[in-house]
C-alpha cells in the first residue's frame, strides 16, 4: 500500500510562530486524520476531515489549530501561534472510506518549538 | 469513553522466542488495529481485524470481541522486530482511533 507522505520530516520553530504541516495522501482516499504524539506519551487524536470539512475534533484541537485541503491534494495542519507544549510528532492518516477500512499513516513530522 | 490498555509496557526477549503482546479495551468496538512504531517514529499498520485471527509472515493477531481482548504474537522473534507495538481501537467506522500506550519490544541476538 502506498505511503502517506508528510512534509517536513522535522521542523524547529520559535514559540509564537505559525507552522504548517503538510500531508500528501492518495487522491481517492476521502477520510483524513491528524494525530499527535508528545514524546513518551500515547498517540492522541486531533481532527478528522471528510468532504473538505472537519467531521470531528478533540479538545486538543483549539482555535490555534486549523486544517484545510487547499488544492484538493495536500492536506495541511496549521498551528497559528506555537507554544512549547505543541512540540510533538504529528501524524497524518488516511482511510479509503469511513467504514471499517484500514488506516494508513504517514512517517510523521517532528515539531520542536523553542 | 473507550480506554485501551496494553501489557506489558516493556518486553525484552532473546532472538527466536515466541512473543505475546496483549490489548484490552473497555467498550464495544468495530475493529482493532495493530501498529508498529519504528525507532525513528514512523507508524506502520500491521493488521486491522474485527474478529478471529489474521496472520502475516511471523505475525499473528487474534481478537475476542466478547472478552474485549486482542493479542499480537510474533513467532521466531528477531532483533529487527524491536519496535513499539501499539493497539488502537475503532469504535465505529468513521470515528478516530483510540490508542494504547504501546509495548516497547527489544529482541536481543
Amino acid at each position: 500500500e502506498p505511503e502517506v507522505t508528510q512534509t517536513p520530516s522535522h521542523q524547529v520553530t520559535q514559540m509564537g510562530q505559525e507552522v504548517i504541516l503538510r500531508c500528501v495522501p492518495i487522491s481517492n482516499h476521502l477520510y483524513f486524520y491528524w494525530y499527535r504524539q508528545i514524546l513518551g506519551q500515547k498517540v492522541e487524536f486531533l481532527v478528522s476531515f471528510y468532504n473538505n470539512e472537519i467531521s470531528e475534533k478533540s479538545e486538543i484541537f483549539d482555535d490555534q489549530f486549523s486544517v484545510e485541503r487547499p488544492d484538493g491534494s495536500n492536506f495541511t495542519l496549521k498551528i497559528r501561534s506555537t507554544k512549547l507544549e505543541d512540540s510533538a510528532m504529528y501524524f497524518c492518516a488516511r482511510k479509503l472510506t469511513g467504514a471499517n477500512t484500514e488506516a494508513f499513516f504517514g512517517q510523521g513530522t517532528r515539531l520542536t518549538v523553542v | 469513553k473507550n480506554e485501551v490498555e496494553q501489557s506489558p509496557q516493556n518486553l525484552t526477549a532473546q532472538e527466536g522466542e515466541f512473543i505475546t503482546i496483549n490489548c484490552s479495551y473497555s467498550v464495544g468496538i468495530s475493529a482493532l488495529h495493530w501498529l508498529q512504531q519504528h525507532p525513528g517514529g514512523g507508524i506502520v499498520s500491521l493488521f486491522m481485524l474485527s474478529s478471529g485471527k489474521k496472520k502475516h509472515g511471523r505475525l499473528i493477531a487474534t481478537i475476542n470481541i466478547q472478552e474485549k481482548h486482542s493479542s499480537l504474537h510474533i513467532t521466531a522473534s528477531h532483533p529487527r522486530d524491536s519496535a513499539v507495538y501499539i493497539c488502537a481501537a475503532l469504535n465505529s467506522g468513521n470515528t478516530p482511533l483510540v490508542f494504547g500506550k504501546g509495548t516497547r519490544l527489544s529482541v536481543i541476538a
Side-chain angles (χ1 to χ4, degrees):
Chain A
E1 189 73 38
E3 291 182 356
V4 177
T5 301
Q6 287 187 242
T7 59
S9 57
H10 189 188
Q11 179 154 359
V12 181
T13 189
Q14 294 276 342
M15 190 169 57
Q17 294 296 304
E18 175 182 284
V19 295
I20 298 177
L21 312 182
R22 290 182 173 81
C23 172
V24 184
I26 304 300
S27 60
N28 61 338
H29 285 73
L30 301 177
Y31 290 81
F32 309 112
Y33 306 82
W34 282 103
Y35 293 90
R36 177 182 84 174
Q37 185 180 35
I38 294 171
L39 185 64
Q41 298 186 22
K42 65 180 180 180
V43 178
E44 302 171 291
F45 167 70
L46 291 177
V47 65
S48 58
F49 193 80
Y50 166 69
N51 201 25
N52 289 325
E53 60 184 32
I54 291 174
S55 55
E56 190 170 348
K57 59 183 180 180
S58 72
E59 61 272 16
I60 302 170
F61 194 87
D62 61 22
D63 292 343
Q64 292 298 311
F65 291 89
S66 62
V67 289
E68 61 178 1
R69 203 176 179 201
D71 54 9
S73 174
N74 291 327
F75 177 48
T76 62
L77 174 70
K78 182 190 294 185
I79 309 175
R80 264 182 269 283
S81 178
T82 50
K83 303 185 287 288
L84 295 176
E85 53 265 36
D86 293 327
S87 296
M89 282 285 283
Y90 288 82
F91 293 100
C92 171
R94 59 170 174 84
K95 289 174 64 176
L96 178 60
T97 72
N100 290 340
T101 55
E102 194 169 359
F104 295 94
F105 289 80
Q107 79 280 14
T109 293
R110 185 175 299 280
L111 176 65
T112 303
V113 182
V114 297
Chain B
K1 184 180 175 185
N2 195 7
E3 299 292 338
V4 178
E5 299 290 337
Q6 286 186 239
S7 63
Q9 286 188 332
N10 294 283
L11 180 58
T12 300
Q14 291 288 327
E15 183 175 359
E17 282 187 17
F18 181 83
I19 288 163
T20 296
I21 299 170
N22 296 298
C23 176
S24 299
Y25 45 92
S26 57
V27 301
I29 64 169
S30 60
L32 188 121
H33 278 64
W34 280 102
L35 307 161
Q36 181 190 55
Q37 187 168 31
H38 299 143
I43 292 176
V44 174
S45 178
L46 299 174
F47 295 103
M48 190 192 80
L49 68 166
S50 53
S51 65
K53 180 168 84 172
K54 284 191 175 180
K55 185 176 188 294
H56 182 69
R58 294 180 295 106
L59 302 178
I60 303 167
T62 63
I63 190 167
N64 186 318
I65 294 293
Q66 288 74 28
E67 294 186 3
K68 297 186 175 60
H69 181 268
S70 177
S71 294
L72 176 69
H73 306 285
I74 304 175
T75 61
S77 59
H78 190 276
R80 65 175 175 266
D81 297 326
S82 299
V84 176
Y85 291 84
I86 303 170
C87 71
L90 186 64
N91 288 335
S92 67
N94 60 354
T95 58
L97 295 169
V98 178
F99 287 75
K101 290 184 178 179
T103 294
R104 184 174 299 277
L105 171 66
S106 298
V107 181
I108 300 169

